[in-house]
Amino acid sequence: MSRISLTNGDMERRATDILGEVREQLGFVPTVFRAYANHPTLLAELWDRYQHTMLTGGLSRRLKEEIALMVAADEHSDYGITLHSNALRQLGMDPHEILRVRTDPDHAHLEAREHALLEIARHGNLSPHDHGERYIEHARDAGAADADILEALAVASLAAEISHVSAMLDLPVDMRS
């Protein structure tokens, strides 16, 4: 049971409109957005960041979801693991490969550039105070641009936030397949 109300009833018009956009773009409204509907300004900010981080940019949606899944697994977030595993399934990813990204990302079947970006995202999440020069150099050697590196770190940051918020608020897992 969530520790915060998952707004289903009386909501400010702004929150209702944003949740409508979320449903239109994603095909459903993840629980984390329903929780944020309690604070329409924060909901708007989260949706804006989600759109710019996960739905646009130079990295593929698949790679972004793989990064988010890996971060959720590192954070032991059942909510994030389910959310991002389902997104990867919807993108046509094989369930065995989803499991590999979740449990053994070092051996995921990725191109060198994508693998290097996955490593940067993981390092940024697990060791944020270690500057990671070697990870950045490795990513550049594999063909990643500076924009790719920033995008991978932004995805990891957003995934970590969703993992932390969902754990703190005990949000129910989205059971969308």
Side-chain angles (χ1 to χ4, degrees), residues 4-6 14-15 25 29 32 36 40 77 79 89 100 111 116 148 168 171:
I4 191 170
S5 66
L6 301 176
R14 182 175 179 200
Q25 288 288 317
V29 179
V32 70
Y36 270 74
S77 170
Y79 180 86
R89 251 190 307 284
R100 186 183 331 272
E111 296 175 10
D148 298 334
M168 183 69 179
L171 297 179

Side-chain angles (χ1 to χ4, degrees), residues 9-24:
D10 291 334
M11 283 188 282
E12 288 184 28
R13 170 89 179 170
R14 182 175 179 200
T16 303
D17 291 346
I18 293 168
L19 293 181
E21 287 179 31
V22 171
R23 181 177 306 285
E24 184 179 310

Side-chain angles (χ1 to χ4, degrees), residues 24-134:
E24 184 179 310
Q25 288 288 317
L26 301 181
F28 77 113
V29 179
T31 308
V32 70
F33 288 102
R34 291 178 30 220
Y36 270 74
N38 288 290
H39 194 305
T41 301
L42 292 179
L43 173 63
E45 190 269 336
L46 175 65
W47 177 233
D48 187 59
R49 272 191 315 127
Y50 189 91
Q51 289 179 94
H52 286 96
T53 303
M54 298 300 290
L55 304 179
T56 64
L59 302 183
S60 72
R61 176 77 189 275
R62 179 177 167 153
L63 178 59
K64 290 176 182 185
E65 292 292 348
E66 290 169 331
I67 290 169
L69 173 58
M70 178 195 61
V71 168
D74 285 345
E75 295 291 336
H76 307 285
S77 170
D78 290 339
Y79 180 86
I81 289 167
T82 302
L83 181 69
H84 300 296
S85 293
N86 286 340
L88 285 166
R89 251 190 307 284
Q90 298 251 326
L91 292 170
M93 190 172 191
D94 178 76
H96 296 293
E97 190 61 18
I98 293 171
L99 183 61
R100 186 183 331 272
V101 169
R102 184 177 135 208
T103 60
D104 190 13
D106 291 339
H107 294 97
H109 297 120
L110 300 170
E111 296 175 10
R113 175 181 154 276
E114 292 175 330
H115 199 275
L117 291 169
L118 199 75
E119 287 178 339
I120 282 177
R122 185 174 223 186
H123 185 76
N125 184 55
L126 295 177
S127 302
H129 303 292
D130 173 13
H131 302 289
E133 292 89 354
R134 70 184 173 103

